[in-house]
Amino acid sequence: MIRGAYAIFERDIRKFLRSPFFIFMTLIFPLVYLVIFGNAMGGTIVHIPIGVTQEELFKNETPLFAGTVDALVQAHERNKPPLFQVTRYVDEETAKLDLATGKILAVLVLPPAVAPENPIRVYLDSSEYMIPALIQSGITSVLMQTGVHSQVLIQNIYGKIEYIQFFGVGVIVMAIFMTTMMGGGNALIRDREMGIIEGYLVTPVRRSSIVLGMIASGTVKAFIAGVFVLLIDIFVAGVPVRSITDILMVLAVIFIICLGINSLVISFASRFSNQSAYSSVVAFLNLLLFMTSGAFYPVIGMPDWLRWITVINPEAYAVHALRSIILRGQGLEVMGIDLIALGIFSAAAIVIGITSFRRTLE
């Protein structure tokens, strides 16, 4: 029994040592996980964009306004960047418009002078995690340091949003990726191993039709998973549902990201001959995309080198679009760029998927 077990053990070890790809993934994946996850979660949130304005139209800056703005600009801990990135506004209406479109995350409205009957108003974008509390504590600290003791009225423009709601929207994108990984890429490799793909090739079906059919089926599977998680968010996490129009826009975003990610996964799967190697690479891709999408933690809290990944990360655009609709009740005027980016990504992924799949058959 021992001799047989040793023989099997020796064969398996030799097989592992003859696979440099698996050795590389075994050693490098924990390191990448540490670097990506460690920097994407719990980073220092600084340079928070806020706006400051006066209750009256700008003619002259009041001493309260000038002193508060200077203090906010200089607000930072020792050896750390400033907490706030301050923009002066000439009127309250313009500042609130930029707050509603996501250009800034808070608006501080200062009265002409400090007085009990003149409260200071703060309007917060409450759809982000941790940032509203940081803004509130930072502004309160600055006002106390400058000797201003007026009443501060806080208004969360999107109401109170719990972390489960913030994170729940991101889980929709994670469910889509996991479904495409299992139901799209693995299904393609399994069909190749069983000879089903070769069977398609002896039929009149064109090669591009084969991959388009697989992209379509994987997209439908991922769409069902995304909608299922959306329903869980609504009935379990308590995310708000405002109108039928919002639901239709959410479904459109889910469909576009399903189509793009499934096409991308198919293009990866077409380059692998076994499921183990494919799963290792796609797991790494999932880590990189999901951790930098802002689903777990605000993108503004990531280091600059990691934040740049979000610029080319389709999941980041999907998460932002879904949060804009579900948590903020915003429309195309805010998420238009997200939809354009997702559309370009999906079109490019389909072309890459078809091209990559056809090359593997030549």
Side-chain angles (χ1 to χ4, degrees):
M1 184 177 68
I2 299 298
R3 182 177 298 178
Y6 177 76
I8 294 175
F9 165 80
E10 184 181 19
R11 175 188 175 278
D12 217 37
I13 291 296
R14 287 181 178 179
K15 182 180 177 182
F16 175 74
L17 294 176
R18 286 195 300 266
S19 303
F21 175 80
F22 287 109
I23 296 175
F24 174 78
M25 293 302 297
T26 301
L27 297 177
I28 201 67
F29 193 79
L31 176 61
V32 174
Y33 191 88
L34 174 64
V35 172
I36 300 297
F37 189 81
N39 285 280
M41 289 287 293
T44 302
I45 297 177
V46 293
H47 297 300
I48 303 173
I50 67 171
V52 185
T53 187
Q54 297 180 161
E55 288 184 352
E56 299 178 355
L57 290 177
F58 255 89
K59 292 183 180 178
N60 296 302
E61 291 186 355
T62 64
L64 174 60
F65 181 88
T68 302
V69 169
D70 290 341
L72 288 171
V73 170
Q74 299 171 11
H76 63 89
E77 298 180 17
R78 181 176 298 178
N79 299 324
K80 288 186 178 181
L83 177 62
F84 297 118
Q85 180 180 322
V86 182
T87 301
R88 295 174 170 85
Y89 286 90
V90 296
D91 62 85
E92 185 176 335
E93 182 179 353
T94 304
K96 287 183 177 179
L97 179 61
D98 282 356
L99 176 63
T101 54
K103 295 180 180 178
I104 56 176
L105 298 179
V107 173
L108 174 62
V109 183
L110 297 168
V114 177
E117 65 275 10
N118 294 333
I120 296 172
R121 289 175 287 130
V122 179
Y123 297 90
L124 293 174
D125 181 343
S126 54
S127 64
E128 290 286 352
Y129 171 61
M130 286 185 60
I131 294 179
L134 285 174
I135 295 174
Q136 184 175 343
S137 62
I139 289 177
T140 302
S141 176
V142 166
L143 292 175
M144 292 181 62
Q145 291 174 10
T146 55
V148 178
H149 300 289
S150 293
Q151 181 184 7
V152 179
L153 302 179
I154 305 293
Q155 181 174 339
N156 295 314
I157 64 172
Y158 301 119
K160 185 178 180 181
I161 296 177
E162 303 292 343
Y163 180 73
I164 190 174
Q165 297 170 325
F166 172 85
F167 179 58
V169 175
V171 172
I172 296 175
V173 179
M174 182 178 70
I176 290 171
F177 192 99
M178 295 303 295
T179 305
T180 57
M181 174 182 170
M182 301 300 296
N186 273 335
L188 172 61
I189 297 175
R190 186 169 56 251
D191 286 351
R192 180 185 292 130
E193 292 175 343
M194 296 176 63
I196 296 176
I197 299 296
E198 286 74 8
Y200 289 151
L201 297 179
V202 299
T203 68
V205 178
R206 299 177 60 180
R207 296 179 179 183
S208 57
S209 298
I210 297 174
V211 68
L212 283 175
M214 302 198 73
I215 289 175
S217 65
T219 299
V220 170
K221 298 173 190 174
F223 183 78
I224 293 173
V227 172
F228 179 72
V229 177
L230 173 64
L231 294 175
I232 292 177
D233 284 343
I234 293 173
F235 294 107
V236 177
V239 298
V241 179
R242 295 176 175 83
S243 66
I244 296 297
T245 302
D246 287 351
I247 291 295
L248 293 177
M249 287 194 295
V250 168
L251 295 179
V253 173
I254 291 176
F255 178 79
I256 294 173
I257 193 62
C258 285
L259 179 62
I261 291 181
N262 188 66
S263 301
L264 181 65
V265 167
I266 290 292
S267 67
F268 271 95
S270 64
R271 311 304 297 181
F272 291 91
S273 58
N274 64 81
Q275 297 185 42
S276 300
Y278 160 78
S279 298
S280 300
V281 172
V282 175
F284 171 77
L285 181 65
N286 182 38
L287 167 70
L288 184 63
L289 295 181
F290 191 63
M291 292 299 175
T292 59
S293 68
F296 276 111
Y297 195 75
V299 174
I300 195 175
M302 300 178 189
D304 292 339
W305 65 269
L306 192 57
R307 200 182 307 172
W308 275 106
I309 298 178
T310 64
V311 177
I312 58 173
N313 183 355
E315 292 191 7
Y317 293 100
V319 170
H320 182 267
L322 291 174
R323 285 203 180 119
S324 297
I325 303 169
I326 297 173
L327 300 183
R328 306 184 188 105
Q330 297 169 332
L332 293 175
E333 69 281 357
V334 173
M335 64 172 190
I337 294 178
D338 298 322
L339 293 181
I340 292 173
L342 290 174
I344 294 173
F345 162 72
S346 297
I350 291 173
V351 173
I352 294 172
I354 293 175
T355 304
S356 178
F357 181 77
R358 292 184 66 177
R359 284 182 179 177
T360 60
L361 300 179
E362 293 176 354

